[in-house]
């Protein structure tokens, strides 16, 4: 019987306990160490802080439990994406990226892959299958894509990508492994910014790569070791702590997002509302098929840049901030960051506040800009 998300969630806080000796602390200690005691041939032991760290091991153990795959930790989501690109690609390779996904991934390809002779094309997430994958070494998908929340069929894309002899990487940042497990749908690689909901407290950047392919894990581990793109032990410790409550936070955030999206649907002044959990959303049927939850992100458009700014800045229970997935509800007008969206486009990240209080604050702020 396949393990359910609940079984994984229940086991998560107890993973460490299975390896404890009498008198060991039950919470994870943080190991701040650049060097380790390593006389003689220390093969198989920690030797140097760029190669290994027990606090990384503990957080990777948790992530591997959630992904059902070996995981390698990085100092940010972009660190994880860079490891996939620089660990696996070579001059002459061509890759495919989403045109509507996180803009920094395209910037990485444009500014740093292109000069090394790795070229890239872009395609909208909702039409990612169109045109096929012949000639590509790697297809990279974000689903749901940030910020427009379009999705694509991971299993269908994986089958077509593999037929063309390429690899499929999915950026699962918007969902977390509790919301969607792309490796189960045939993807070769998952990358994620644990900066977002997995850490959840907006106080650290972190990322990971997951894969069931040992060569891919070896390549990104080698990249980390040699490039020095390593997470700090204290950051790993914070993410370990965050992961212990991810299930409860994610559950609250997704449940509240469903309530709020339904109420926004009926609100005057809002257009272009997107939330995969709404039956009217173009992504809904596919979302039901491949996602465990519908996520905590909602996007919509207000009539102008000023109205969007006023809505965000005048809402008592909303932080005006980039990023998402934190315990605090936050929102951002995404054209500010250069996304190809209208000036009044808002990406809302629903946090952990009690939903009726949150809705009251959102409604009051919306009423304030109406008229
Ligand atoms: C979808 C997605 N992937 C990757 C990243 C990069 O993560 P980080 O900021 O931790 O480098 C982000 C950041 O916003 C993101 O939204």
């Amino acid at each position: 019987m396949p393990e359910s998300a609940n079984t994984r969630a229940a086991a998560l806080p107890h993973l460490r306990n299975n390896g404890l000796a009498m008198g060991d602390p039950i919470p994870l200690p943080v190991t701040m160490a650049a060097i380790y005691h390593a006389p003689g041939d220390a093969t198989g032991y920690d030797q140097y802080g760029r190669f290994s760290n027990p606090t990384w091991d503990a957080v990777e153990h948790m992530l591997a439990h959630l992904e059902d795959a070996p995981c390698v930790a990085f100092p940010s989501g972009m660190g994880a994406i860079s490891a996939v690109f620089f660990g696996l690609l070579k001059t002459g390779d061509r890759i495919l990226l989403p045109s509507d996904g996180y803009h920094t991934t395209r910037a990485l390809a444009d500014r740093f892959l292109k000069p090394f002779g790795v070229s890239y094309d872009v395609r909208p997430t909702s039409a990612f299958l169109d045109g096929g994958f012949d000639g590509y070494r790697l297809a990279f998908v974000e689903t749901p894509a940030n910020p427009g929340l379009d999705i694509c069929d991971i299993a269908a894309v994986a089958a077509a990508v593999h037929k063309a002899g390429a690899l499929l990487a999915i950026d699962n940042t918007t969902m977390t492994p509790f919301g969607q497990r792309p490796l189960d749908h045939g993807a070769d690689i998952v990358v994620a910014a644990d900066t977002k909901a997995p850490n959840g407290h907006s106080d650290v950047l972190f990322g990971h790569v997951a894969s069931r392919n040992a060569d891919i894990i070896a390549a990104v581990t080698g990249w980390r070791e040699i490039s020095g793109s390593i997470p700090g032990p204290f950051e790993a410790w914070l993410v370990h702590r965050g992961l212990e409550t991810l299930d409860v936070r994610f559950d609250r955030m997704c449940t509240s997002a469903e309530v709020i999206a339904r109420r926004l649907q009926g609100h005057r002044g809002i257009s272009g509302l997107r939330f995969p959990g709404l039956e009217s959303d173009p992504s809904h049927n596919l979302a039901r098929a491949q996602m465990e939850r519908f996520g905590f992100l909602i996007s919509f458009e207000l009539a102008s840049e000023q109205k969007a700014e006023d809505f965000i800045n005048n809402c008592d229970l909303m932080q005006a901030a980039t990023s998402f997935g934190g315990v605090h509800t936050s929102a951002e007008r995404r054209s500010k960051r250069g996304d190809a969206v209208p000036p009044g486009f808002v990406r809302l990240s629903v946090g952990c506040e009690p939903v009726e209080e949150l809705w009251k604050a959102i409604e009051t702020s919306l009423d304030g800009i109406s008229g």
Side-chain angles (χ1 to χ4, degrees):
M1 202 175 76
E3 242 196 358
S4 71
N6 273 345
T7 317
R8 286 194 293 278
L12 193 68
H14 302 285
L15 287 183
R16 175 178 148 72
N17 301 23
N18 299 335
L20 292 184
M22 183 72 96
D24 278 350
I26 288 177
L28 177 71
V30 58
T31 303
M32 304 297 291
I35 54 172
Y36 301 89
H37 182 59
D41 179 6
T43 309
Y45 292 89
D46 290 330
Q47 298 183 37
Y48 188 51
R50 204 177 63 246
F51 306 156
S52 59
N53 177 285
T55 321
W56 302 351
D57 295 345
V59 77
E60 286 172 350
H61 186 197
M62 281 180 127
L63 290 166
H65 170 79
L66 294 179
E67 299 279 16
D68 195 14
C71 289
V72 185
F74 287 92
S76 65
M78 288 315 301
I81 294 170
S82 300
V84 168
F85 288 174
F86 288 96
L88 295 174
L89 300 174
K90 59 180 189 325
T91 301
D93 284 344
R94 194 169 190 81
I95 67 169
L96 186 60
L97 302 175
S99 54
D100 50 344
Y102 184 50
H103 59 93
T104 309
T105 306
R106 291 188 298 279
L108 175 63
D110 201 60
R111 289 180 51 191
F112 295 102
L113 291 183
K114 234 168 47 180
F116 284 106
V118 174
S119 53
Y120 75 98
D121 296 314
V122 298
R123 216 177 258 178
T125 300
S126 61
F128 210 76
L129 269 171
D130 298 357
F133 301 97
D134 285 345
Y136 291 107
R137 167 78 182 122
L138 176 80
F140 184 101
V141 168
E142 227 177 271
T143 177
N146 166 27
L149 304 182
D150 269 329
I151 74 177
C152 72
D153 184 335
I154 299 173
V157 171
V161 163
H162 291 156
K163 207 165 150 209
L167 293 170
L168 176 62
I170 305 275
D171 184 332
N172 201 35
T173 298
T174 55
M175 286 315 292
T176 88
F178 280 125
Q180 169 175 274
R181 294 213 310 181
L183 299 178
D184 293 349
H185 298 285
D188 302 287
I189 303 164
V190 161
V191 295
D194 300 306
T195 309
K196 318 294 179 187
N199 175 58
H201 294 76
S202 311
D203 49 11
V204 78
L205 279 87
F206 209 76
H208 75 271
V209 175
S211 179
R212 295 173 185 159
N213 177 324
D215 292 340
I216 292 172
I217 290 295
V220 297
T221 305
W223 166 258
R224 179 175 74 179
E225 204 171 289
I226 289 171
S227 70
S229 175
I230 55 167
F234 185 58
E235 281 75 3
W237 184 86
L238 283 170
V239 173
H240 185 277
R241 168 180 276 211
L243 284 169
E244 290 183 328
T245 56
L246 175 59
D247 177 48
V248 264
R249 287 184 287 105
F250 187 68
D251 183 41
R252 164 70 75 99
M253 288 153 68
C254 293
T255 304
S256 297
E258 285 198 53
V259 172
I260 286 167
R262 282 187 201 290
R263 294 181 188 176
L264 287 174
Q265 205 171 17
H267 207 281
R268 67 187 191 285
I270 284 194
S271 61
L273 178 69
R274 294 298 306 271
F275 178 69
L278 294 174
E279 292 75 8
S280 56
D281 193 277
S283 300
H284 185 67
N285 289 339
L286 194 48
R288 289 194 85 86
Q290 74 184 17
M291 288 153 59
E292 306 249 0
R293 302 297 302 263
F294 297 119
F296 50 81
L297 291 176
I298 301 172
S299 64
F300 55 88
E301 213 183 308
L302 294 171
S304 67
E305 173 177 331
Q306 193 56 53
K307 281 187 189 291
E309 284 291 337
D310 289 347
F311 163 65
I312 296 168
N313 300 333
N314 298 339
C315 180
D316 287 343
L317 298 182
M318 188 176 294
Q319 298 302 316
T322 195
S323 199
F324 53 83
V327 292
H328 338 77
T329 290
S330 66
E332 186 170 53
R333 208 173 50 71
R334 283 302 295 181
S335 67
K336 216 161 92 172
R337 300 278 160 195
D339 282 342
V341 291
F345 178 100
V346 173
R347 184 192 64 203
L348 170 64
S349 173
V350 176
C352 290
E353 303 86 350
V355 68
E356 290 306 332
E357 298 302 312
L358 181 57
W359 172 249
K360 258 189 266 165
I362 289 175
E363 193 177 34
T364 304
S365 194
L366 278 176
D367 288 346
I369 60 162
S370 296

